[in-house]
Amino acid sequence: MKKAITLIIGTATALALASCSSESTSTPTASPTSTVTATTPAAAASSPAPTEDAAQVAAATPITITIGGTTIAATLNDSDAARDFIESMPVTVPSIRNAGIEYFGAVASPLTETGPFYDDVRPGDIVYYAPKDEVALIFKPTSSPGQLTKIGDITSDLNIFDGLPEDADIVYDLG
């Protein structure tokens, strides 16, 4: 009798372990109150969980920025200010090249500003400065004042800004 019980326990243990194995090809079943998700290693590798960056990229709107005949690729995010800017396109913004780090110019009407403000400006950022209703293209490292709202990213190589004119009418357009 002892051998029979040991054999039954051993068989049950082996079956339980086999059903937990990642090599199993059986389809799991679910009770009405449980959820079962079957994932193979290959499926997990091919479909990573979405990240915040992926969501931002998915919401990005491609635009073109033209300075002195040079076209630059960029994207605008899904902020209120960026949506207002998109609605004004195509738009020409008379701009000034400031200290070899940025171009900035005033937009015709204020953009909706709901924040959040940030002061961690980086090369490649497109920002809105609400106190002066200005849009700026940052292409070199710099410090920044508060009250900036990031509205997008320059996606072209930032070296494209080398040699562009000091002051220019910058054309922003969907693209």
Side-chain angles (χ1 to χ4, degrees):
M1 178 77 171
K2 223 177 199 185
K3 285 184 181 181
I5 291 175
T6 303
L7 181 61
I8 291 172
I9 291 173
T11 303
T13 302
L15 288 173
L17 289 174
S19 68
C20 292
S21 167
S22 64
E23 295 297 317
S24 174
T25 58
S26 64
T27 304
T29 58
S31 70
T33 59
S34 69
T35 302
V36 176
T37 304
T39 305
T40 64
S46 65
S47 57
T51 63
E52 184 176 75
D53 290 338
Q56 290 173 343
V57 169
T61 299
I63 65 165
T64 59
I65 302 166
T66 306
I67 304 172
T70 300
T71 300
I72 299 163
T75 58
L76 294 181
N77 61 31
D78 194 32
S79 66
D80 290 335
R83 284 192 298 272
D84 285 353
F85 196 45
I86 289 167
E87 286 182 24
S88 73
M89 292 182 185
V91 62
T92 301
V93 178
S95 299
I96 298 167
R97 186 180 177 109
N98 179 39
I101 59 169
E102 68 180 340
Y103 277 101
F104 69 88
V107 292
S109 59
L111 306 179
T112 303
E113 175 48 65
T114 56
F117 296 120
Y118 85 121
D119 59 8
D120 186 26
V121 68
R122 297 172 187 219
D125 287 351
I126 303 171
V127 298
Y128 175 62
Y129 183 56
K132 292 191 175 184
D133 295 322
E134 293 174 335
V135 171
L137 305 172
I138 311 299
F139 54 89
K140 298 282 184 187
T142 185
S143 60
S144 61
Q147 301 176 338
L148 291 177
T149 300
K150 183 173 179 178
I151 63 171
D153 294 291
I154 300 163
T155 56
S156 290
D157 183 340
L158 297 178
N159 291 323
I160 200 165
F161 287 92
D162 295 341
L164 290 179
E166 288 300 310
D167 300 337
D169 287 338
I170 299 179
V171 179
Y172 296 87
D173 201 357
L174 292 172

